[in-house]
Amino acid sequence: MRRRQKAWRKIRTYAAVLGLLGGVGLGVGAAGPNAVAAAGPPRPLGQVVPEPSSVQPGGAPYTLGRHAVIDASGPAAQVGQYLAGLLRPSTGYALPLTHDARPGAITLRVTHAPGLGDEGYRLDVRDSGVLIEADAPAGLFHGVQTLRQLLPANVEARTPQAGPWTVAGGTITDTPRYAYRGAMLDVARHFFTVAQVERYIDELSLYKINYLHLHLTDDQGWRIALDSWPKLATYGGSTEVGGGPGGYYTKAQYEQIVRYAASRFMTVVPEMDMPAHTNAALASYADLDCDGVAPPLYTGTNVGFSSLCVAKPVTYTFVADVLRELAALTPGPYLHIGGDEAHSTSAADYTTFMDKVQPIVTGLHKTVMAWNEITDAHPVKGAIAQYWGTTGTEASVIAAAKAGTRLVMSPANHAYMDMKYDKSTVLGLNWAGYIEVQDAYNWDPATFVKGAPASAVYGVEAPLWSETLTTSADIDYMAFPRLPAIAELGWSPAATHDWNSFSVRLAAQGPRWDAMGIGYYHSAQVPWPTSES
């Protein structure tokens, strides 16, 4: 706290001196020479998604001026560079990074303030400058996303725009509800390039998503090249749903995605789905099938027909090799081993398989993640079950949660972003029902699985399966505006969840998505503005 007060004292001192000199165009706020009186009021301080934990509006607004600087040094420097990269194209300002507070500056500080944790932040907006402080760089990054949303929507443009760039005065103190706030992208049914994945990462980061779950393998394609079993990618990755060319990531490309996600304080969770959803692997290596005959490559959308051969020792050699290479490429703590829709695997074989595979994961010093069917077997200590059911009444899930298995909540009838919005939606499926924006928002992760302790819920995730999706525009249309709804459930305190409030704040995101080039679904449930105010 002492460092925070010192930073503000320095800003006030500079501002007072400049006030005596009549100002020198450094953008010290609404009262400075760069302010535009006729600009109208800035957006309300709390009009962001996810809703902050605490908002205290008050005081004069801040206006970013042409000669402003970003004061960020040491552990804050990376986030400072990111912020400068966001603001320079639209404002046309130089926004150099400095190592001392100046009037009109945006100051980023890692201050070890109590109560903020690894991802929380405090944002103070005054006419003399903006101060974002956090215990760790991840918190600063999340604070930057809040500041970004408080600026006019055209700040997202990549070409110079008209200002002024004004933010309402006051203080936001914000910490996340859950440690895990994820989004899943299925790159197996249809392949998406590194650039497309990076684009999605950038979109997710705006809403404080901190885990990217990549569904890398399925019946229709294997999307990661591995040295130990090279045909998985070169043959198993050579097609996709509908018979397109497919594709795969080299190790270097996968590591590029991991690094890019890390630069947005996002952790990649790779998934190798098994023992079902494995036709691409079986087609590549016949020995993995019980009859030793490789099936043809598959380009349809049925599920549950494939299975690794549980009885063969080669199956576990295969699994160990794949997980070892994947773990070596993945600095994050989780390896997702799938486990869903194993309709061609007997219950006994399924349990045998999971009991053999989970120790392989833990032996690699990684934490097991799997779809909630793992609770039908024996989840190892520390395992995380990703819940995708629709009723919240599965006895095995409830029992496992009571016994210590953590849950990441992705109920398909609320969180699956590949479900159609309504019967007129061209893209997507509807087996879990139609999911409008209000359906995506109006549920509570803590109570959805009835009888499971709220403490078992580790977080939320919004999966996006790609049976019908082939382009970034398809991803955008299905994810927005539902992704921000799931993000708010994961970040904001449960007591703040209110559809009427959320719909207004969500509507304010529309012009921002327009400026970002995100083609979103214009839900009739949301009061979208006709123009930026």
Side-chain angles (χ1 to χ4, degrees):
M1 182 61 72
R2 221 178 270 128
R3 292 176 64 184
R4 176 185 170 207
Q5 292 172 340
K6 184 178 179 181
W8 273 122
R9 282 199 298 271
K10 188 180 287 189
I11 289 172
R12 286 198 192 99
T13 300
Y14 277 123
V17 171
L18 289 172
L20 292 172
L21 295 175
V24 291
L26 288 179
V28 297
N34 291 308
V36 178
R43 70 179 65 247
L45 188 65
Q47 196 182 75
V48 296
V49 177
E51 184 169 8
S53 305
S54 170
V55 179
Q56 296 177 309
Y62 164 81
T63 297
L64 180 69
R66 178 170 300 279
H67 299 288
V69 300
I70 296 174
D71 173 17
S73 58
Q78 177 188 347
V79 181
Q81 290 284 5
Y82 170 85
L83 176 59
L86 282 176
L87 300 181
R88 285 168 180 159
S90 56
T91 64
Y93 300 164
L95 296 173
L97 264 67
T98 67
H99 304 299
D100 61 331
R102 299 181 188 180
I106 299 174
T107 301
L108 309 181
R109 289 282 185 268
V110 174
T111 59
H112 306 293
L116 295 180
D118 289 340
E119 293 191 285
Y121 65 91
R122 183 171 292 110
L123 169 67
D124 282 319
V125 182
R126 311 186 185 191
D127 60 353
S128 55
V130 172
L131 174 64
I132 304 176
E133 58 180 352
D135 277 0
L140 289 181
F141 185 80
H142 298 321
V144 161
Q145 303 310 319
T146 296
L147 174 62
R148 177 183 179 183
Q149 289 189 34
L150 290 171
L151 287 161
N154 61 342
V155 79
E156 307 292 346
R158 299 294 87 188
T159 56
Q161 305 289 308
W165 310 106
T166 302
V167 182
T171 301
I172 290 175
T173 304
D174 204 7
T175 56
R177 179 187 188 189
Y178 291 121
Y180 188 106
R181 305 174 308 282
M184 189 214 77
L185 181 62
D186 172 14
V187 298
R189 270 51 178 274
H190 281 102
F191 180 67
F192 293 95
T193 65
V194 171
Q196 289 174 305
V197 175
E198 290 179 347
R199 170 187 165 89
Y200 196 43
I201 289 170
D202 280 333
E203 294 171 355
L204 297 173
S205 67
L206 179 57
Y207 299 101
K208 303 180 175 69
I209 296 297
N210 63 346
Y211 285 92
L212 174 66
H213 172 183
L214 286 179
H215 185 76
L216 289 169
T217 71
D218 214 297
D219 292 312
Q220 299 87 351
W222 187 282
R223 306 303 181 199
I224 178 74
L226 300 172
D227 298 335
S228 54
W229 299 75
K231 285 179 61 181
L232 292 171
T234 58
Y235 185 67
S238 64
T239 192
E240 58 189 4
V241 167
Y248 61 87
Y249 307 118
T250 65
K251 284 187 171 183
Q253 288 173 325
Y254 175 78
E255 289 180 309
Q256 179 181 337
I257 291 172
V258 169
R259 287 193 303 271
Y260 194 84
S263 75
R264 272 59 176 160
F265 297 89
M266 199 176 300
T267 300
V268 170
V269 179
E271 180 187 354
M272 174 193 167
D273 205 350
M274 52 185 171
H277 291 279
T278 48
N279 192 82
L282 300 174
S284 302
Y285 291 97
D287 285 350
L288 300 176
D289 210 337
C290 284
D291 62 8
V293 177
L297 293 170
Y298 183 67
T299 61
T301 59
N302 290 332
V303 299
F305 62 88
S306 62
S307 179
L308 295 171
C309 190
V310 174
K312 282 187 171 183
V314 69
T315 294
Y316 305 99
T317 300
F318 164 76
V319 170
D321 287 343
V322 167
L323 292 179
R324 171 178 46 79
E325 289 197 55
L326 202 52
L329 299 170
T330 305
Y334 306 118
L335 290 182
H336 202 302
I337 56 175
D340 61 321
E341 297 176 320
H343 306 320
S344 296
T345 312
S346 70
D349 278 354
Y350 182 86
T351 298
T352 295
F353 181 83
M354 286 299 181
D355 285 351
K356 289 186 176 182
V357 169
Q358 291 182 87
I360 296 174
V361 175
T362 58
L364 294 166
H365 306 291
K366 298 293 186 181
T367 298
V368 171
M369 285 191 73
W371 299 104
N372 61 254
E373 285 92 331
I374 196 174
T375 62
D376 294 327
H378 305 112
V380 296
K381 184 178 181 180
I384 297 171
Q386 185 169 357
Y387 181 82
W388 65 281
T390 59
T391 65
T393 58
E394 294 85 351
S396 64
V397 176
I398 296 167
K402 289 180 176 179
T405 297
R406 291 174 292 173
L407 304 178
V408 166
M409 297 302 298
S410 303
N413 53 343
H414 292 282
Y416 269 31
M417 297 189 300
D418 57 299
M419 293 297 108
K420 293 175 180 288
Y421 292 98
D422 58 32
K423 63 182 180 181
S424 68
T425 309
V426 175
L427 298 171
L429 306 173
N430 64 1
W431 61 263
Y434 301 118
I435 302 178
E436 251 286 4
V437 188
Q438 192 167 358
D439 301 312
Y441 186 78
N442 278 343
W443 63 283
D444 186 355
T447 61
F448 191 87
V449 176
K450 302 164 183 67
S455 59
V457 177
Y458 185 46
V460 298
E461 185 175 289
L464 185 55
W465 302 97
S466 67
E467 286 95 336
T468 68
L469 313 182
T470 61
T471 67
S472 288
D474 293 344
I475 292 173
D476 289 350
Y477 186 79
M478 299 305 281
F480 293 91
R482 292 182 291 196
L483 183 281
I486 306 301
E488 177 149 310
L489 298 183
W491 178 279
S492 304
T496 68
H497 296 173
D498 174 77
W499 166 253
N500 292 328
S501 166
F502 174 71
S503 66
V504 171
R505 287 180 288 107
L506 184 65
Q509 300 294 305
R512 191 166 305 275
W513 297 336
D514 291 335
M516 294 173 70
I518 295 175
Y520 59 97
Y521 168 66
H522 287 68
S523 171
Q525 296 179 343
V526 179
W528 306 107
T530 55
S531 62
E532 172 70 357
S533 59

